[in-house]
Amino acid sequence: MAAPGPPRLLERSRVPPHLQFNPFVLGGYRPASSGFGCLRSLFYLHNELGNIYTHGVPLVGFLLLVPGALPRAPPAAVAWLGLGHYVACVAPPLASVVYHVFMSHRAGAGLYRRLLALDLCGVALVNTLGAVPIIYCALPCRPGPCGAALAAYGALCGAALWGAVGAAGRGRRLAAFAGPALFRLAVVGLRGAVGLGARRALAPYARMEALALLGGLVNVARVPERWRPGAFDYWANSHQLMHLLVALGILHLHWGVAADLHWAARHPCPTA
Ligand SMILES: [Zn+2]
């Protein structure tokens, strides 16, 4: 017996309200389905397919390539930083793929809200863990001040996640992450001024911030589909562009952190 073909796709007005969040994506919606049906949608064209693969392919790349770029047999502190960095690189695309694959599950709005929270947790993890090596290399071998800076940054990230989960709309969700971003920029600026950590890490860090901001703005503006509603339902809409910019941002974060961790491995703290 032949396998069933892909299901008939739906117009925007035929899907539940919680999936109608982009008024400029008019068609190509998957019908509600079981978990297996959601997984089967990996193999036919619909309006979430680009969102799934623009984070699915980077996810595989980060899983395979990040460990090999980190120092081999480093001191314990650097090894822990490397492990946190690996989680920071993998968490956002992994959470995003799960969100986009299962958002059309027939369990409805309740499951959708949990998936959206998971997606935001991935962003929060790269925000939090991603910055730890940046801060560590600003205050190397000074556990007191470094711990205080990390605690302050962690509190800012917690407040950002709280604000993002409760935000009404994409603009406020983006604005919620401004506090941690300004803190990171201040640390990168300070490091540039005093010359601590790997100097060649600073440019990738600055590019990462620019890419993340650009991705967020594109997503908020809903460009280009705003200009031609329905023409970008499947490819090249704002959410896919945001995914690509975020993946590029994580790649730049990785380049910066890899340089910093090699620097930290070459400058171990003196033992008492
Ligand atoms: Zn997404």
Side-chain angles (χ1 to χ4, degrees), residues 96 100 239 243:
S96 168
H100 285 287
H239 202 87
H243 273 199

Side-chain angles (χ1 to χ4, degrees), residues 48 51-52 54-55 92 95-97 99-100 103 116 119 219 239-240 242-243:
E48 289 292 336
N51 290 331
I52 293 168
T54 48
H55 268 171
S96 168
V97 166
Y99 164 71
H100 285 287
M103 67 196 297
L116 182 60
D119 194 25
N219 194 43
H239 202 87
Q240 291 173 18
M242 183 267 281
H243 273 199

Side-chain angles (χ1 to χ4, degrees), residues 7-81:
R8 194 185 173 89
L9 299 178
L10 305 175
E11 310 246 307
R12 181 169 176 269
S13 60
R14 304 284 307 277
V15 296
H18 65 272
L19 296 178
Q20 295 187 14
F21 44 79
N22 190 336
F24 309 112
V25 172
L26 305 183
Y29 290 86
R30 291 167 292 176
S33 68
S34 64
F36 178 75
C38 293
L39 286 172
R40 201 162 74 87
S41 74
L42 288 166
F43 306 106
Y44 63 84
L45 182 62
H46 52 84
N47 68 13
E48 289 292 336
L49 192 71
N51 290 331
I52 293 168
Y53 281 96
T54 48
H55 268 171
V57 173
L59 170 63
V60 174
F62 293 140
L63 276 170
L64 297 178
L65 299 178
V66 165
L70 302 180
R72 284 169 200 275
V78 178
W80 280 109
L81 289 172

Side-chain angles (χ1 to χ4, degrees), residues 36 38 72 75 83 90 116 169 184 223 226 241 250 253 267:
F36 178 75
C38 293
R72 284 169 200 275
L83 183 64
V90 165
L116 182 60
R184 290 192 302 272
V223 166
R226 169 184 298 278
L241 298 180
I250 296 173
L253 169 71
H267 298 81

